[in-house]
């Protein structure tokens, strides 16, 4: 007779303890065996962080076999069938395994409950399932921390600035002279076959609003986004001092003319009540629904903010419009308020319709509006005062709080404050977490603070690439399981932008340099190389194993303006302000004015060849002599526990003020120099710069036995044009740096030897794939004949071998 394991346990009364199973509900736990369908099982949930005085939400599970996964799959997917009743319903009990203080469970006998903690520190909690014949248990870890400071740092919004850096001069010029004009030209076209949908949609929507004959919407439903992003990128590019460069002056003149052409067309497409989304306008004004390629008809979209149309990116496009208005208004020295007033009208339209009853609940399938509303609310309060921007901040929180009952794909699988693991579409995720970080700062809500820090911890210590990219691509454009960081990765450029926003906001909240360490990592490695050196092509995906060339455009060109606007906000990433002074977060040759520091404006002039050299000089020029502090980031290259580096290259080698060496204290990763500053004062510091070998955690299977190279903030690559990528780096070989002015517009390379004696040459990751043949031209798929269904897409071929790699074998 065949007996199941459950029958055997019942017959013998054996007690089985199942320690864990793999999957999203179990984080970092050991898999003892794959759970059989009739095996009693218990799952505690993911590891997390909670603020002292706050509560953590415990979503435990007890049952048989594998646990269900909330919201798995894309929106609209059918729910999983109910599990077969394979045994008596188990009871559950929560208990404390370890920790420095007391744990209070709201209901220790309920699988789904909350817990609070008396003392900061590391705790382990356990849930036990008991069906009378067998027991199963599972644990999770909780780090109890003190909440962030009650007041956040103040952003230094980008205004007019100058760049004086060999690296950044070239990259900024390529954006202004080549890439942004290319984007302008593409969006002015109405004949694009790849990634259509530019100004033509605004023109046609304006006709529809006037009751005139008009064309159909072109491209994706969210194609307004790259127009708004490019408006913001142009506005930021016009804040860069061209320093007499004729090419930059000509490009900036084109941008001014373009803005004067585009702004009236964009505003003409705005509804009288402030609503703006050309896909809605043209769908609503169309006589019938739009036909699909297979001949079926798409339902008409007749009402904004409809749950049926969450995927139509209303908040995504609206958020980018609002953010573009902020930088356009700043660029004009707050003299041209056309976009600013239109953004207020749009935000008011949303706030008038969405909110607590009698208004409606709603959330967007692609997040962006949330972080835009907080940014705009703060900006309006700064410009107009009297708390006039507060309603926009409140709306951002309401939109986030409405996320529930959906899927992991768009982070609506759980209430936002119960999300402790980064899941789903990577861009949507980091935009969500960025907005959550904003709301946590504005409200001091401990549930938000706990969720935000838990998500940060999960990304940085379990799902973070050495390049600062996020999203392995094992789910649809999204995150995979913990520690699953394949090198044929996803790492969309837009997710790098969102990751920078998220880390920057964590820095503002916590006054801590580790967050700036991380966004520097993403800026230099995950985003700077999104564009080729000429500024003519871009990467949608930033794979660590690069196997394809950048392209001049994309079927979904959502990154084209996002890359530009993020890179050109350099002063915002470089500096922030506290109540008593300035924080220096990045090092780049530049001249930036920081307004209202101790009652005066301060010009900061950095002279440095960073990241090629570690010498940095900062001239401090206050308009009037004032006492304040300057805090300078002390780099830490190993914030993520996923990676370790040898030799160490953290800290500062030296620091001096007006030629006299000082030994200031270090707090939260910053050295603090407090004094009365006068124009001409000078800080000189030396950062340690050495070649590092970087090793990944053994938990990252893809990189076992492999090593990566880093110099300063730059991660390096090996390219097939220089060597055989199958070789192994000699573990004992010395690694040296060498400046090569004629290579890739001037780079410091790393040289060494492979185990077979062949020379090794490594170049910075941002400069990869600039010596390969151009990408083949885009050929659109054939259109089906009228009434004929579209042919199914061909099977996806296996990826070609990489031409550029970050992680190499070591022997």
């Amino acid at each position: 007779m065949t007996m199941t394991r459950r029958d055997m346990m019942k017959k013998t009364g054996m007690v089985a303890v199942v320690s864990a199973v793999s999957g999203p509900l179990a984080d970092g736990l050991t898999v003892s065996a794959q759970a059989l369908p009739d095996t009693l099982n218990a799952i505690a949930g993911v590891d997390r962080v909670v603020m002292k005085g706050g509560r953590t939400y415990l979503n435990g599970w007890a049952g048989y076999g594998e646990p269900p996964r909330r919201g798995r799959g894309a929106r609209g997917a059918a729910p999983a069938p109910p599990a077969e009743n394979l045994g008596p319903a188990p009871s559950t009990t929560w208990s404390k395994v370890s920790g420095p203080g007391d744990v209070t469970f709201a209901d220790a006998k309920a699988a789904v409950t909350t817990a609070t903690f008396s003392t900061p520190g590391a705790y382990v909690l356990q849930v036990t399932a008991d069906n009378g014949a067998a027991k199963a248990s599972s644990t999770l870890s909780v780090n109890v921390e003190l909440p962030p400071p009650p007041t956040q740092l103040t952003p230094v919004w980008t205004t007019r600035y100058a760049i004086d850096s060999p690296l950044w001069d070239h990259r900024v010029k390529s954006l202004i002279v080549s890439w942004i004009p290319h984007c302008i030209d593409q969006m002015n076209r109405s004949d694009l076959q790849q990634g259509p949908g530019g100004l033509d949609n605004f023109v046609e929507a304006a006709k529809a609003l006037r009751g005139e004959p008009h064309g159909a919407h072109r491209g994706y439903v969210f194609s307004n986004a790259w127009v708004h992003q490019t408006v913001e990128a142009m506005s930021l590019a016009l804040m860069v001092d061209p320093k007499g460069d004729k090419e930059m002056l000509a490009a900036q003149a084109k941008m001014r003319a373009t803005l004067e052409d585009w702004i009236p067309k964009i505003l003409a497409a705005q509804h009288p009540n402030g609503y703006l989304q050309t896909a809605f306008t043209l769908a609503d004004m169309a006589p019938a629904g739009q036909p699909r390629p297979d001949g079926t008809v798409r339902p008409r979209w007749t009402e904004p903010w409809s749950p049926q149309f969450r995927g139509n990116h209303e908040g995504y496009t609206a958020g980018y419009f609002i953010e573009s208005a902020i930088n356009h208004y700043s660029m004009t020295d707050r003299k041209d308020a056309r976009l600013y007033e239109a953004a207020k009208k749009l935000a008011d339209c949303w706030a008038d319709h969405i909110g607590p009853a009698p208004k409606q609940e709603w959330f967007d399938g692609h997040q962006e509006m949330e972080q835009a509303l907080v940014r705009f609310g703060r900006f309006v309060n700064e410009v107009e005062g009297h708390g006039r921007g507060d309603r926009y901040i409140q709306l951002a929180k309401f939109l986030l709080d409405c996320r529930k009952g959906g899927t992991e794909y768009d982070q609506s699988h759980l209430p936002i404050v119960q999300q402790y693991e980064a899941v789903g579409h990577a861009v949507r995720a980091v935009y969500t977490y960025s907005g959550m970080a904003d709301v946590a700062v504005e409200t001091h809500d401990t549930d938000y603070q706990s969720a935000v820090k838990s998500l940060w911890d999960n990304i940085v210590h379990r799902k973070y690439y050495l390049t600062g990219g996020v999203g392995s691509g094992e789910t649809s454009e999204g995150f995979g399981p913990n520690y699953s960081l394949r090198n044929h990765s996803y790492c969309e450029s837009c997710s790098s932008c969102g990751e920078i926003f998220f880390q920057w906001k964590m820095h503002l909240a916590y006054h801590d340099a580790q967050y700036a360490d991380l966004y520097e990592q993403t800026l230099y490695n995950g985003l700077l190389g999104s564009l080729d050196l000429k500024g003519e092509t871009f990467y949608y995906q930033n794979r660590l194993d690069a196997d394809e060339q950048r392209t001049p455009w994309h079927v979904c060109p959502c990154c084209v303006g996002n890359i530009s606007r993020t890179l050109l906000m350099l002063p915002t990433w470089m500096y922030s302000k506290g109540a008593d002074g300035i924080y220096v977060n990045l090092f780049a040759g530049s001249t930036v004015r920081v307004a209202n520091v101790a009652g005066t404006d301060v010009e900061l002039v950095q002279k440095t060849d960073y990241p090629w050299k570690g010498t940095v000089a900062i001239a401090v020029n206050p308009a009037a002599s004032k006492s304040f502090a300057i805090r300078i980031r002390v780099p830490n290259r190993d914030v993520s526990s996923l990676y370790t580096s040898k030799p160490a290259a953290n800290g500062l080698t030296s620091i001096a003020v007006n030629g006299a060496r000082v030994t200031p204290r270090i707090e939260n990763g910053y050295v603090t120099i407090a004094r009365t500053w006068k124009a001409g004062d000078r800080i000189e510091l030396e950062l340690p710069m050495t070649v590092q070998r970087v090793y990944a955690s053994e938990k990252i299977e893809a990189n076992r036995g492999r090593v990566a190279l880093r110099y300063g903030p730059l991660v390096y690559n090996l390219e097939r044009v220089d060597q055989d990528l199958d070789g192994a780096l000699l573990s004992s070989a010395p690694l040296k740096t060498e400046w090569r002015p004629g290579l890739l517009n001037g780079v410091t390379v790393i040289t060494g030897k492979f185990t077979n004696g062949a020379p090794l040459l490594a170049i910075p990751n941002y400069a990869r794939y600039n010596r390969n043949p151009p990408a083949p031209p885009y050929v659109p798929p054939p259109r089906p004949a009228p009434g004929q269904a579209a042919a199914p897409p061909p099977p996806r071929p296996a990826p070609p071998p990489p031409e550029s790699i970050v992680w190499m074998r070591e022997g």
Side-chain angles (χ1 to χ4, degrees), residues 420-442:
Y420 303 129
E421 180 186 10
V423 296
H425 189 284
V427 181
R428 299 170 200 240
V430 289
Y431 276 23
T432 305
Y433 310 153
S434 173
M436 289 171 65
D438 279 331
V439 169
V441 163
E442 293 293 329

Side-chain angles (χ1 to χ4, degrees), residues 202-214 264-265 267-270 272 281 285:
F202 292 91
V203 171
E204 298 305 317
K207 292 177 184 177
L209 288 175
R210 294 193 297 266
E212 300 173 4
H214 59 274
K265 292 176 180 177
L267 297 185
Q270 187 172 28
T281 304
M285 301 294 182

